[in-house]
Amino acid sequence: MITVLLADDQDLVRIGLRALVESEDDLAVVGEAADGLGAVELARRERPDVVLMDVRMPGVDGIEATRRIVADSGLAGTRVIVLTTFELDEYVFDALRHGASGFLTKDTRPAELLRAIRLVAEGEALLSPSVTRRVVREFAIRPARVPRPHPQLDALTDREREVVGLVGEGLSNAEIAERLVVSPATARTHVSRAMVKLGARDRAQLVVFAYQSGLVVS
């Protein structure tokens, strides 16, 4: 059973999400919160597999709540999916930087939302290559953001650095394999090793590290 926590300040949104999630035999809602602080407290008590987190909430917002959940060692198994009104919401990158496993727009089809919950619960990143490219492109043009190399960047081999940069561009393992003329298994191994060395929770966070470290070629 995959347990889900709902965090949104709109009652109707939470009611709709609960009805959808609980219509599935393998999913269960373990709590609802109307603000970020409540989401953090409930997450610590219930230890859900997945949190559906709205961005704009009163008091502690979804970004800060995500940061607190991800930083809590007792919630290492909890993944956060950020819900946003616009695909390129200005807060999306910050959500990913603070450890969200991905994001969905609120007009996502029900079947896609259910698929996303299951995907993230399995440890995958909910960040498609096309969306990754758009997110990185959007924030790469902002002059206020300067590269901040990851402290473990030097631990990567040259090939691993190259692979992290390609992940940051939004390439899938198959596309990385084609670009580097290696097998998909080899590409997957390079990605996995880089994630371990950089301490990335998932592929979404690897994208953030790639951008922050200046490994994404614009």
Side-chain angles (χ1 to χ4, degrees):
M1 182 69 69
I2 298 172
T3 54
V4 182
L5 172 64
L6 310 176
D8 196 294
D9 63 337
Q10 297 184 42
D11 293 343
L12 285 177
V13 172
R14 295 199 311 276
I15 290 171
L17 289 174
R18 175 180 280 275
L20 176 63
V21 170
E22 294 194 332
S23 70
E24 302 295 302
D25 293 338
D26 62 329
L27 305 179
V29 174
V30 294
E32 296 183 21
D35 57 55
L37 184 58
V40 174
E41 292 174 347
L42 272 174
R44 288 171 175 163
R45 185 168 74 239
E46 302 294 340
R47 300 180 187 277
D49 296 310
V50 178
V51 179
L52 295 181
M53 182 79 74
D54 186 25
V55 172
R56 296 180 178 88
M57 292 185 289
V60 174
D61 64 17
I63 304 301
E64 175 60 18
T66 295
R67 186 194 69 77
R68 294 185 189 185
I69 289 172
V70 172
D72 191 323
S73 60
L75 296 174
T78 297
R79 297 290 182 266
V80 179
I81 297 175
V82 169
L83 300 177
T84 179
T85 304
F86 302 104
E87 193 169 77
L88 285 181
D89 188 292
E90 62 180 297
Y91 298 109
V92 166
F93 190 85
D94 284 337
L96 297 175
R97 181 168 59 85
H98 285 304
S101 293
F103 66 93
L104 291 172
T105 55
K106 288 190 174 181
D107 60 357
T108 296
R109 294 191 301 272
E112 284 301 307
L113 175 61
L114 295 172
R115 172 182 173 275
I117 291 172
R118 295 184 176 103
L119 187 70
V120 169
E122 293 173 358
E124 297 295 327
L126 184 65
L127 200 62
S128 70
S130 63
V131 170
T132 301
R133 293 186 185 102
R134 290 199 295 273
V135 170
V136 172
R137 186 182 306 120
E138 169 74 11
F139 288 91
I141 63 176
R142 299 191 178 191
R145 294 183 180 272
V146 297
R148 290 178 293 168
H150 189 282
Q152 297 301 317
L153 192 63
D154 290 341
L156 300 182
T157 64
D158 289 342
R159 177 46 61 91
E160 288 166 352
R161 280 174 174 252
E162 186 176 14
V163 166
V164 171
L166 294 176
V167 170
E169 289 181 29
L171 272 63
S172 65
N173 287 345
E175 291 171 325
I176 291 173
E178 183 177 357
R179 177 80 65 87
L180 300 180
V181 194
V182 298
S183 70
T186 297
R188 184 166 56 251
T189 296
H190 286 313
V191 171
S192 297
R193 288 176 177 170
M195 288 178 64
V196 170
K197 290 181 180 180
L198 296 177
R201 285 166 58 95
D202 53 33
R203 198 180 186 95
Q205 200 166 28
L206 200 61
V207 170
V208 176
F209 290 159
Y211 171 69
Q212 290 183 323
S213 298
L215 297 179
V216 178
V217 180
S218 59

Coordinates of all heavy atoms in Angstrom, one line a residue, residues 16-80:
G16 N -11.1 16.5 -3.7 CA -11.0 15.9 -5.0 C -9.8 14.9 -5.1 O -9.9 13.8 -5.6
L17 N -8.7 15.4 -4.5 CA -7.5 14.5 -4.5 C -7.7 13.3 -3.7 O -7.3 12.2 -4.0 CB -6.3 15.3 -3.9 CG -5.7 16.4 -4.8 CD1 -4.6 17.2 -4.1 CD2 -5.1 15.8 -6.1
R18 N -8.4 13.4 -2.5 CA -8.7 12.3 -1.6 C -9.5 11.3 -2.4 O -9.3 10.1 -2.4 CB -9.3 12.7 -0.4 CG -9.7 11.5 0.5 CD -10.4 12.0 1.8 NE -9.4 12.4 2.8 CZ -8.8 11.6 3.6 NH1 -9.1 10.3 3.6 NH2 -8.0 12.0 4.5
A19 N -10.6 11.8 -3.0 CA -11.5 10.9 -3.8 C -10.8 10.1 -4.8 O -11.0 8.9 -5.0 CB -12.7 11.7 -4.4
L20 N -9.9 10.8 -5.6 CA -9.1 10.1 -6.6 C -8.2 9.1 -6.1 O -8.1 8.0 -6.5 CB -8.4 11.2 -7.4 CG -7.4 10.7 -8.5 CD1 -8.2 10.0 -9.6 CD2 -6.6 11.8 -9.1
V21 N -7.4 9.5 -5.1 CA -6.4 8.6 -4.5 C -7.0 7.3 -3.9 O -6.6 6.2 -4.1 CB -5.5 9.3 -3.5 CG1 -4.6 8.3 -2.7 CG2 -4.6 10.4 -4.1
E22 N -8.1 7.5 -3.2 CA -8.7 6.4 -2.5 C -9.6 5.6 -3.4 O -10.1 4.5 -2.9 CB -9.5 6.9 -1.3 CG -8.6 7.6 -0.2 CD -9.3 7.8 1.1 OE1 -10.5 7.9 1.1 OE2 -8.5 7.7 2.1
S23 N -9.7 5.9 -4.6 CA -10.4 5.1 -5.6 C -9.5 3.9 -6.1 O -10.0 3.0 -6.7 CB -10.9 5.9 -6.8 OG -9.8 6.3 -7.6
E24 N -8.2 4.0 -5.7 CA -7.3 3.0 -6.1 C -7.0 2.0 -5.0 O -6.8 2.4 -3.8 CB -6.0 3.6 -6.6 CG -6.2 4.6 -7.7 CD -6.6 3.9 -9.0 OE1 -5.9 3.0 -9.5 OE2 -7.7 4.3 -9.5
D25 N -7.0 0.7 -5.3 CA -6.8 -0.3 -4.2 C -5.4 -0.2 -3.6 O -5.2 -0.6 -2.4 CB -7.0 -1.7 -4.8 CG -8.4 -1.9 -5.2 OD1 -9.3 -1.2 -4.7 OD2 -8.6 -2.8 -6.1
D26 N -4.4 0.3 -4.3 CA -3.0 0.3 -3.8 C -2.6 1.6 -3.2 O -1.4 1.8 -2.8 CB -2.0 -0.2 -4.8 CG -2.0 0.8 -6.0 OD1 -3.1 1.4 -6.3 OD2 -0.9 1.0 -6.6
L27 N -3.5 2.6 -3.1 CA -3.2 3.9 -2.6 C -4.1 4.2 -1.4 O -5.3 3.9 -1.4 CB -3.3 5.0 -3.7 CG -2.6 4.8 -5.0 CD1 -2.9 5.9 -5.9 CD2 -1.1 4.7 -4.7
A28 N -3.5 5.0 -0.4 CA -4.3 5.4 0.7 C -3.9 6.7 1.2 O -2.7 7.0 1.3 CB -4.2 4.3 1.9
V29 N -4.9 7.6 1.5 CA -4.6 8.9 2.1 C -4.4 8.8 3.6 O -5.3 8.3 4.3 CB -5.7 9.9 1.7 CG1 -5.4 11.3 2.5 CG2 -5.7 10.2 0.2
V30 N -3.3 9.2 4.2 CA -3.1 9.1 5.6 C -3.2 10.4 6.3 O -3.1 10.5 7.6 CB -1.7 8.5 5.9 CG1 -1.7 7.1 5.4 CG2 -0.6 9.3 5.3
G31 N -3.5 11.5 5.6 CA -3.6 12.8 6.3 C -3.8 13.9 5.3 O -3.5 13.8 4.1
E32 N -4.4 15.1 5.8 CA -4.6 16.3 5.0 C -4.1 17.5 5.8 O -4.2 17.5 7.0 CB -6.0 16.5 4.6 CG -6.6 15.4 3.8 CD -8.1 15.7 3.4 OE1 -8.5 16.9 3.5 OE2 -8.8 14.8 3.1
A33 N -3.4 18.4 5.1 CA -3.0 19.6 5.8 C -3.4 20.8 4.9 O -3.4 20.8 3.7 CB -1.5 19.6 5.9
A34 N -3.7 21.9 5.6 CA -4.1 23.2 4.8 C -3.0 24.2 4.8 O -3.1 25.2 4.2 CB -5.3 23.8 5.5
D35 N -1.8 23.8 5.3 CA -0.7 24.7 5.2 C 0.6 23.9 5.4 O 0.6 22.7 5.7 CB -0.7 25.8 6.3 CG -0.8 25.3 7.7 OD1 0.1 24.4 8.1 OD2 -1.7 25.6 8.5
G36 N 1.7 24.6 5.1 CA 3.0 23.9 5.1 C 3.4 23.3 6.4 O 3.9 22.2 6.5
L37 N 3.2 24.1 7.5 CA 3.6 23.6 8.8 C 2.8 22.3 9.2 O 3.4 21.4 9.7 CB 3.3 24.7 9.9 CG 3.8 24.4 11.3 CD1 5.3 24.1 11.3 CD2 3.4 25.6 12.2
G38 N 1.5 22.3 8.9 CA 0.7 21.2 9.1 C 1.2 20.0 8.3 O 1.2 18.8 8.8
A39 N 1.6 20.2 7.1 CA 2.1 19.1 6.3 C 3.4 18.5 6.9 O 3.5 17.3 6.9 CB 2.4 19.7 4.9
V40 N 4.3 19.4 7.4 CA 5.5 18.9 8.0 C 5.2 18.0 9.2 O 5.7 16.9 9.4 CB 6.5 20.0 8.3 CG1 7.7 19.5 9.1 CG2 6.9 20.8 7.1
E41 N 4.3 18.5 10.1 CA 4.0 17.8 11.3 C 3.3 16.5 11.0 O 3.6 15.5 11.6 CB 3.0 18.7 12.1 CG 3.7 20.0 12.7 CD 2.8 20.9 13.4 OE1 1.6 20.7 13.3 OE2 3.3 21.8 14.1
L42 N 2.4 16.5 10.0 CA 1.7 15.3 9.6 C 2.7 14.3 9.0 O 2.6 13.1 9.3 CB 0.6 15.5 8.7 CG -0.8 15.9 9.3 CD1 -1.8 16.3 8.2 CD2 -1.3 14.7 10.1
A43 N 3.6 14.8 8.2 CA 4.6 13.9 7.6 C 5.4 13.2 8.6 O 5.7 12.0 8.5 CB 5.5 14.7 6.6
R44 N 5.8 13.9 9.7 CA 6.6 13.4 10.7 C 5.9 12.3 11.5 O 6.5 11.4 12.0 CB 7.2 14.5 11.6 CG 8.3 15.3 11.0 CD 8.6 16.6 11.8 NE 9.7 17.3 11.2 CZ 10.1 18.5 11.5 NH1 9.3 19.2 12.4 NH2 11.1 19.1 10.9
R45 N 4.6 12.5 11.6 CA 3.8 11.6 12.4 C 3.4 10.3 11.6 O 3.5 9.2 12.1 CB 2.5 12.3 12.9 CG 1.7 11.4 13.8 CD 0.6 12.1 14.6 NE -0.5 12.5 13.7 CZ -0.9 13.7 13.5 NH1 -0.3 14.7 14.1 NH2 -1.9 14.0 12.7
E46 N 3.0 10.6 10.3 CA 2.5 9.5 9.5 C 3.5 8.8 8.6 O 3.3 7.7 8.2 CB 1.3 10.0 8.6 CG 0.2 10.6 9.4 CD -0.6 9.5 10.2 OE1 -0.4 8.3 10.0 OE2 -1.3 10.0 11.2
R47 N 4.6 9.5 8.3 CA 5.7 9.0 7.5 C 5.1 8.4 6.2 O 5.3 7.3 5.8 CB 6.5 7.9 8.2 CG 7.2 8.4 9.5 CD 8.0 7.3 10.1 NE 8.5 7.8 11.4 CZ 9.6 8.5 11.6 NH1 10.3 8.8 10.6 NH2 10.0 8.8 12.8
P48 N 4.5 9.3 5.4 CA 3.9 8.8 4.1 C 4.9 8.5 3.1 O 6.1 9.0 3.2 CB 3.0 10.0 3.7 CG 3.8 11.2 4.2 CD 4.3 10.7 5.6
D49 N 4.5 7.7 2.1 CA 5.5 7.5 1.0 C 5.6 8.7 0.1 O 6.6 9.0 -0.4 CB 5.0 6.3 0.2 CG 4.9 5.0 1.0 OD1 6.0 4.7 1.6 OD2 3.9 4.3 1.0
V50 N 4.4 9.4 -0.1 CA 4.4 10.5 -1.1 C 3.6 11.6 -0.5 O 2.6 11.4 0.2 CB 3.7 10.1 -2.4 CG1 3.7 11.3 -3.4 CG2 4.5 9.0 -3.1
V51 N 4.1 12.9 -0.6 CA 3.3 14.1 -0.3 C 3.0 14.8 -1.5 O 3.9 15.1 -2.3 CB 4.2 15.0 0.7 CG1 3.4 16.2 1.0 CG2 4.6 14.2 1.9
L52 N 1.7 15.1 -1.7 CA 1.3 16.0 -2.8 C 1.2 17.4 -2.2 O 0.4 17.7 -1.3 CB -0.1 15.6 -3.3 CG -0.2 14.2 -4.0 CD1 -1.6 14.0 -4.5 CD2 0.8 14.2 -5.2
M53 N 2.2 18.3 -2.6 CA 2.4 19.6 -1.9 C 2.1 20.8 -2.8 O 2.7 21.0 -3.8 CB 3.9 19.6 -1.5 CG 4.2 20.9 -0.7 SD 3.8 20.8 1.0 CE 5.0 19.7 1.7
D54 N 1.1 21.5 -2.4 CA 0.8 22.8 -3.1 C 1.9 23.8 -2.7 O 2.5 23.7 -1.7 CB -0.6 23.3 -2.6 CG -1.0 24.6 -3.3 OD1 -0.6 24.7 -4.5 OD2 -1.8 25.4 -2.8
V55 N 2.2 24.7 -3.7 CA 3.2 25.7 -3.4 C 2.7 26.8 -2.6 O 3.3 27.2 -1.5 CB 3.7 26.2 -4.8 CG1 4.7 27.4 -4.5 CG2 4.5 25.1 -5.6
R56 N 1.6 27.5 -3.0 CA 1.2 28.7 -2.3 C 0.2 28.3 -1.2 O -1.0 28.0 -1.5 CB 0.6 29.6 -3.3 CG 1.6 30.1 -4.3 CD 0.9 31.1 -5.3 NE 1.8 31.6 -6.3 CZ 2.1 31.0 -7.5 NH1 1.5 29.9 -7.8 NH2 2.9 31.6 -8.3
M57 N 0.7 28.4 0.0 CA -0.2 28.1 1.2 C 0.2 29.2 2.3 O 1.3 29.7 2.3 CB 0.0 26.7 1.7 CG -0.5 25.6 0.8 SD -0.3 23.9 1.6 CE 1.5 23.7 1.5
P58 N -0.8 29.5 3.2 CA -0.5 30.5 4.2 C 0.5 30.0 5.2 O 0.8 28.8 5.4 CB -1.9 30.6 4.9 CG -2.6 29.3 4.6 CD -2.1 28.9 3.2
G59 N 1.2 31.0 5.8 CA 2.2 30.7 6.8 C 3.4 30.0 6.1 O 4.1 30.6 5.2
V60 N 3.8 28.8 6.5 CA 4.9 28.1 5.9 C 4.4 27.6 4.5 O 3.4 26.8 4.4 CB 5.3 26.9 6.7 CG1 6.4 26.1 6.0 CG2 5.9 27.4 8.1
D61 N 5.1 28.0 3.4 CA 4.6 27.6 2.1 C 5.1 26.3 1.7 O 5.9 25.6 2.5 CB 5.0 28.7 1.0 CG 6.5 28.8 0.8 OD1 7.2 27.9 1.3 OD2 6.9 29.8 0.2
G62 N 4.7 25.8 0.5 CA 5.1 24.5 0.1 C 6.6 24.3 -0.1 O 7.1 23.1 0.0
I63 N 7.3 25.3 -0.5 CA 8.7 25.2 -0.7 C 9.5 25.0 0.6 O 10.3 24.0 0.7 CB 9.3 26.5 -1.4 CG1 8.5 26.8 -2.7 CG2 10.8 26.3 -1.7 CD1 8.6 25.7 -3.7
E64 N 9.1 25.7 1.6 CA 9.8 25.6 2.9 C 9.4 24.2 3.5 O 10.2 23.6 4.1 CB 9.4 26.7 3.8 CG 9.9 26.6 5.2 CD 11.5 26.5 5.3 OE1 12.2 26.9 4.4 OE2 11.9 26.1 6.4
A65 N 8.1 23.9 3.3 CA 7.7 22.6 3.9 C 8.4 21.4 3.2 O 8.8 20.5 3.9 CB 6.2 22.4 3.7
T66 N 8.6 21.6 1.9 CA 9.4 20.5 1.2 C 10.8 20.4 1.8 O 11.3 19.4 2.0 CB 9.4 20.8 -0.3 OG1 8.1 20.8 -0.8 CG2 10.3 19.9 -1.0
R67 N 11.4 21.6 2.0 CA 12.8 21.6 2.5 C 12.9 20.9 3.8 O 13.8 20.1 4.1 CB 13.3 23.1 2.6 CG 14.8 23.2 3.0 CD 15.1 24.6 3.5 NE 14.5 24.9 4.7 CZ 14.9 24.5 5.9 NH1 15.9 23.7 6.0 NH2 14.3 24.9 7.0
R68 N 11.9 21.2 4.7 CA 11.9 20.6 6.1 C 11.7 19.1 6.0 O 12.4 18.4 6.8 CB 10.9 21.3 6.9 CG 11.1 22.7 7.2 CD 10.1 23.3 8.2 NE 10.2 24.8 8.3 CZ 9.5 25.5 9.1 NH1 8.6 24.9 9.9 NH2 9.6 26.8 9.2
I69 N 10.8 18.7 5.1 CA 10.6 17.2 5.0 C 11.8 16.5 4.5 O 12.2 15.5 5.0 CB 9.4 17.0 4.1 CG1 8.1 17.4 4.8 CG2 9.3 15.5 3.7 CD1 6.8 17.4 4.0
V70 N 12.4 17.0 3.4 CA 13.6 16.4 2.8 C 14.8 16.4 3.8 O 15.6 15.5 3.8 CB 14.0 17.1 1.5 CG1 15.3 16.6 1.0 CG2 12.9 16.9 0.5
A71 N 14.9 17.5 4.6 CA 16.0 17.6 5.5 C 15.9 16.7 6.8 O 16.8 16.5 7.5 CB 16.2 19.0 6.0
D72 N 14.7 16.1 7.0 CA 14.4 15.3 8.2 C 14.9 13.9 7.9 O 14.4 13.2 7.1 CB 12.9 15.3 8.5 CG 12.6 14.7 9.8 OD1 13.2 13.7 10.2 OD2 11.7 15.2 10.5
S73 N 15.9 13.4 8.7 CA 16.5 12.1 8.5 C 15.4 11.0 8.7 O 15.5 9.9 8.2 CB 17.7 11.9 9.4 OG 17.3 12.0 10.7
G74 N 14.4 11.3 9.5 CA 13.4 10.3 9.8 C 12.4 10.1 8.7 O 11.6 9.2 8.7
L75 N 12.5 11.0 7.6 CA 11.6 11.0 6.5 C 12.4 10.7 5.2 O 12.0 11.1 4.1 CB 10.9 12.3 6.4 CG 9.9 12.6 7.5 CD1 9.3 14.0 7.3 CD2 8.8 11.6 7.6
A76 N 13.4 9.9 5.3 CA 14.2 9.6 4.2 C 13.5 8.8 3.1 O 13.8 8.9 1.9 CB 15.5 8.7 4.6
G77 N 12.4 8.1 3.5 CA 11.6 7.4 2.5 C 10.4 8.1 1.9 O 9.7 7.6 1.1
T78 N 10.3 9.4 2.3 CA 9.2 10.2 1.9 C 9.6 11.0 0.7 O 10.6 11.7 0.7 CB 8.7 11.1 3.0 OG1 8.2 10.3 4.1 CG2 7.5 12.0 2.5
R79 N 8.7 11.0 -0.4 CA 9.0 11.8 -1.6 C 7.9 12.9 -1.7 O 6.8 12.6 -1.4 CB 9.0 10.9 -2.8 CG 10.1 9.8 -2.8 CD 11.5 10.5 -3.0 NE 12.6 9.5 -3.0 CZ 13.3 9.1 -2.0 NH1 13.0 9.7 -0.8 NH2 14.2 8.3 -2.1
V80 N 8.3 14.0 -2.3 CA 7.4 15.1 -2.4 C 7.2 15.4 -3.9 O 8.1 15.6 -4.7 CB 7.9 16.4 -1.7 CG1 7.0 17.6 -1.9 CG2 8.2 16.1 -0.2

